[in-house]
Each structure stands twice: as C-alpha cells, then as structure tokens.
Amino acid sequence: MQRESNSKVFIFDTTLRDGEQAPGCSMSLREKLKIAHALNELNVDVIEAGFAAASPGDFESLKTIASEIDGATICSLARCNPQDIEAAAQAIDANPNKRIHVFVATSDIHLEHKLDMTQDAVVKAAFEGVKLAKTFCDNVEFSPEDASRTDRNFLVEVVNATIAAGATTINIPDTVGYSIPFEYGNLFKYLIENCEGSENVIFSAHCHDDLGLSVANSLAALESGARQVECTINGIGERAGNTSLEEICMAIKTRKEYFDFHTQIETKKLYPTSRLVSSITGMHIPRNKAVVGENAFSHEAGIHQHGMLQHASTYEIMKPEDVGIAKSNLVLGKHSGRHAFLDRVTELGFSLNTEELNAAFVEFKKLADRKKEIFDSDIEAIVINSESGITGPWELVDLEISSGKSWGASADIKLTHNDGRILENSSNGIGPIESVFKALEDLTGYSLKLTNFEIHSVSVGEDAQGEVTVTVRYDGQDYRGHGISTDIIESGALAYLEVINRIDRKKISRIR
Ligand code: KIV
Ligand code: ZN
C-alpha cells in the first residue's frame, strides 16, 4: 500500500471554513485574506477558504484568495448539487492548485431527520456530485458527513461509489466529536481494507472536539493509514471546535521517533499565526492551551524551575523557539530605535511590509511614552494589531472618565467617522465601563447586548497593558472585539468600538 512508503501527512487547514462557523468568528474578506497568506507561509498543503454557495461574501473571499495565494491548494466546500459545485468551481478557478470538496451526510440519523433521503439516493447524489466536480478539476475530495455514526457497510458502499467517480481524497468526518481513538482508528483500517481502490486515494481525518479527543482521534487515524488531517488554527470551529493544527503538528514533530510520518509545516510560524487568528477572531487563547498558550513554556513550581536551570529537557519536551516563541530578556524602551524594534519583530517571527512596520513603529513609540519597559508580549500585541490593521469607520479620539463609589460614573467620549463627522457625548452608568458603552451606543446609534467581558494583562507590572475582549449580540449574531491599552477603561472602549466597526463594515460590504 502507498501509505507505508509515503510518510508525508497533508495538512488541510479549514480555519476559514469550519473555523469561521464558530459563533462570533465570522471574518471580513480582508481578514480572511490576511489569514490565508499566514497559512500559506506556514506551508499548509490545502486551505479550505470557504463554502462558495453559502453566501456572496464567501464566494468573493474564495475568489480573492484563489487569485492571490500562490503555493497552497485552494479548496471550496460544496454540497452534492450542481449549483453548489458550479459556484465552488467558479470561485477557485483562478488558482492552478484547486480542489472541490463535496459532501453529503450518510448516517441514519441525518438521512432520517435532516435530509429525508434513502440510502440509494445518497449514493447516487455522492456519485454524481463527485463526477460533476471532476469536470471542473482533477483534485476532488469527498466527505460522508457524520461518517463515524454511519453503518459501516453503507459507508463502504458510498466510499466505493465516490472512488469510482474519481474522488482523490476520502475524508471521514467525526462530525459530532463522538468517536474515541481506538474506534476511529479502527474505522480507517476497515475502510482501507474493504473499499475498492483505497490504495489510489488519500484517506483524511476530520475531527471535532466535543469530548476533547479530536487530536487523539486524528493521530489514531494517521496510525491506521490516513495521510491527511483537517484542522484549524487554535482549534476554532463549530461547538467545541476542530482538531488544533498546532497541537497535531507538534505531536507529530515531537514524537517523530514514535510516528513514522511527518508534515511540511514551518513550525516556527505556529505562534505568530495563532496570535493573528486570535486577534482577528477575538477568540482568546487560554493560558494553559497546549503549544501556544502563555503558560505552555513557563515553569512555576520550585522543583521544576530547579530542573529547568540544570537542563531544559527535564521539564520541556519542545523548545519554545520551535513553535516561534522567541522570548528574550531584552526589554525595549523609549530610546530604542527603529532598528532594535525591527530586529525584535523579526526575532518574534513576524514579517512586516514597510507600511505595516511604519504603523507598528508609531504605535511602539506611543506606548513607550506611556510605559517604561516594553516586553515581547507588548510588541506582539502592537504588531498583530497593525498586521490585522483593519480599522474604522469609527475612531476613538478622546475619552474622559470620572467615577465615585457613592454616585457611579460618567464618560465623555469624542469619536470621528471616516465620512468626516466628529461626535461627542457624555453618559452616566453604574461604573466606568457601563458609562463608556452607553456613550458609544448613543454616538453610533446601536443598541447592543454585551454577553461577555474578559480582561487580562499583556505583560507584567502595574503599568502593563490590559487586553479586553468583549462578546456582543446584535441582530441574532455574536461579534467579538478586543482592545489594548495601558488604561483598561480605554481597552474596554476600544474593544466595544471594534465590535461596532465590525458591524458597520459588514453593513457597508452588503450595500456594495
Ligand atoms: O464536520 C463535518 O462533517 C464537516 C464536513 C462538511 C466535512 O465539516
Ligand atoms: Zn467539521
């Protein structure tokens, strides 16, 4: 079988499709393009950049990404119907490396309660879907949705039909995160042994993390012969999310003697990419998150610190620099020049163009006026903001707060709009945050429902920057925004204003 001789694991990133389906994670075209470029630099094999037929916005993003990205294969999802498949083909047409990914559900539960289709009708739809996709491009992936809860004999029948129709990759999704590793691994063994022509296709794992087993399940599939993993940066995705790209890639790399396979991922780009996705989606990375969390490489207990001082291998199985965490004791300050700043930015794994560097340097100087010592985490926050630098139409010009235990708080806010308006307003509230949010709503004309407010310190010390992340519900949708400042009330104002800007930009792009 080819699997023994071919030990490369293909990394299929679906941050821009399955990842974007996570509540509050929807992204604009510019944001998706920024992430697509970062994924390409990370050297992923396939970027599933959207679902062309899902919305005009998805179609446009796919089209732009397909025409700009040079390297990774660009893929669009499609249901097994001509409209979806034609839209997918059209959206990715500009790229010479393209893939259409067709899917249809196969479990009894889905057939009965969702599709109202017979098994025969599903086999026919899958066969015809793949056949039609093949008329547009050679590279066609097929997914039997909810495969892990599908009757095995029927699964073999569907896979046989789609291999016969020309599918080149067969993806076996654990759509609801129900499988456990031994069982999921066995399923791959069974399919590879029993499907006709299995030696001519790549089998792929696609796992959800409902039971926290997505990485373990994906590894079990690889051990059983799968050679593609579908995953997302930071594991974002529907419900509990998808397999985390950084975790699966570092598991394969760290245990290379155990697994006889490898990926082509540039692991040094994992951390910057993870921060970029977190900043764009507003999905905060938990401190204890494997591989990219703040605590992943810090050692608190005395006995651990002692061991680390003797030799890092006592308590560290990966080197922070291998995932792109280039911490140093070097602290920058207001006398640090452009050169020192650029050196640090490069060491931290970011590559900025001149425009982004200029913007980041201005922010660095502003921060250095407010804060004596600038740490790596401060620089990361600045760079990621200027990298994702999608701002406006509203901008915060001024903010004054007064508050007292006995009477509450009031906020005076001045905003500009890129159509030339300058607006000022003051509002009262129980505390400073409520008064700021009220003033912003009054000025911009929105009525929003705050559902979550988180704050954390970017670095150390009383003058550390505070990063606020807010989640807001508007018009039945969740939006996230974040803001960073040495003044935590200003961080809150910036986060809320980011949400308002996201909503405004979405409305404007719809009008166009
Ligand atoms: O989870 C799932 O089943 C999917 C398919 C569309 C591949 O995302
Ligand atoms: Zn999925």
Side-chain angles (χ1 to χ4, degrees), residues 14 17-18 21 48 77 101 103 141 143-147 171 173-176 206-208 230 239 242:
T14 183
R17 200 280 295 169
D18 222 345
Q21 284 174 220
E48 186 169 51
L77 186 67
H101 175 189
F103 77 101
E141 172 169 330
S143 287
E145 190 190 5
D146 206 15
N171 182 44
D174 182 26
T175 304
V176 289
H206 177 111
C207 300
H208 282 265
E230 305 203 346
R239 308 179 310 278
N242 288 60

Side-chain angles (χ1 to χ4, degrees), residues 304-315:
H304 288 203
Q305 288 174 349
H306 177 73
M308 284 294 292
L309 288 173
Q310 305 302 313
H311 203 281
S313 65
T314 50
Y315 286 101

Side-chain angles (χ1 to χ4, degrees), residues 171-218:
N171 182 44
I172 303 297
D174 182 26
T175 304
V176 289
Y178 181 71
S179 270
I180 55 169
F182 186 72
E183 178 189 32
Y184 193 59
N186 252 330
L187 179 58
F188 279 80
K189 244 185 223 129
Y190 183 82
L191 292 172
I192 290 168
E193 274 164 18
N194 290 286
C195 293
E196 288 152 24
S198 67
E199 66 282 6
N200 301 322
V201 297
I202 300 266
F203 276 82
S204 163
H206 177 111
C207 300
H208 282 265
D209 210 32
D210 299 65
L211 295 173
L213 293 170
S214 60
V215 173
N217 283 338
S218 304

Side-chain angles (χ1 to χ4, degrees), residues 247-265:
E247 291 177 24
I248 189 96
C249 291
M250 286 316 288
I252 293 172
K253 184 178 167 102
T254 307
R255 299 303 310 274
K256 57 181 178 301
E257 280 84 24
Y258 178 81
F259 298 119
D260 59 351
F261 38 76
H262 64 273
T263 74
Q264 63 170 33
I265 292 298

Side-chain angles (χ1 to χ4, degrees), residues 418-431:
N418 64 13
D419 63 8
R421 276 179 289 162
I422 303 172
L423 302 176
E424 283 183 65
N425 178 274
S426 54
S427 279
N428 297 324
I430 293 173

Side-chain angles (χ1 to χ4, degrees), residues 156-347:
V156 169
E157 194 183 332
V158 178
V159 171
N160 281 346
T162 52
I163 294 178
T168 42
T169 301
I170 299 291
N171 182 44
I172 303 297
D174 182 26
T175 304
V176 289
Y178 181 71
S179 270
I180 55 169
F182 186 72
E183 178 189 32
Y184 193 59
N186 252 330
L187 179 58
F188 279 80
K189 244 185 223 129
Y190 183 82
L191 292 172
I192 290 168
E193 274 164 18
N194 290 286
C195 293
E196 288 152 24
S198 67
E199 66 282 6
N200 301 322
V201 297
I202 300 266
F203 276 82
S204 163
H206 177 111
C207 300
H208 282 265
D209 210 32
D210 299 65
L211 295 173
L213 293 170
S214 60
V215 173
N217 283 338
S218 304
L219 288 170
L222 292 176
E223 286 197 276
S224 295
R227 280 297 174 268
Q228 175 179 284
V229 173
E230 305 203 346
C231 44
T232 61
I233 300 291
N234 300 332
I236 63 170
E238 286 273 9
R239 308 179 310 278
N242 288 60
T243 302
S244 137
L245 182 148
E246 55 283 1
E247 291 177 24
I248 189 96
C249 291
M250 286 316 288
I252 293 172
K253 184 178 167 102
T254 307
R255 299 303 310 274
K256 57 181 178 301
E257 280 84 24
Y258 178 81
F259 298 119
D260 59 351
F261 38 76
H262 64 273
T263 74
Q264 63 170 33
I265 292 298
E266 285 283 341
T267 61
K268 284 186 171 30
K269 303 252 169 186
L270 285 173
Y271 184 68
T273 313
S274 152
R275 293 297 310 248
L276 177 71
V277 170
S278 162
S279 149
I280 285 179
T281 58
M283 278 281 248
H284 193 67
I285 303 163
R287 274 176 192 271
N288 65 339
K289 164 91 172 62
V291 182
V292 290
E294 247 165 79
N295 289 357
F297 293 95
S298 54
H299 305 270
E300 185 71 25
I303 191 165
H304 288 203
Q305 288 174 349
H306 177 73
M308 284 294 292
L309 288 173
Q310 305 302 313
H311 203 281
S313 65
T314 50
Y315 286 101
E316 243 170 39
I317 57 165
M318 305 171 258
K319 290 201 224 91
E321 52 274 27
D322 285 350
V323 301
I325 301 179
K327 295 284 175 219
S328 79
N329 295 326
L330 213 75
V331 176
L332 300 185
K334 89 180 194 190
H335 299 297
S336 308
R338 210 184 155 78
H339 230 87
F341 178 70
L342 177 60
D343 279 356
R344 208 65 214 113
V345 165
T346 312
E347 268 173 57

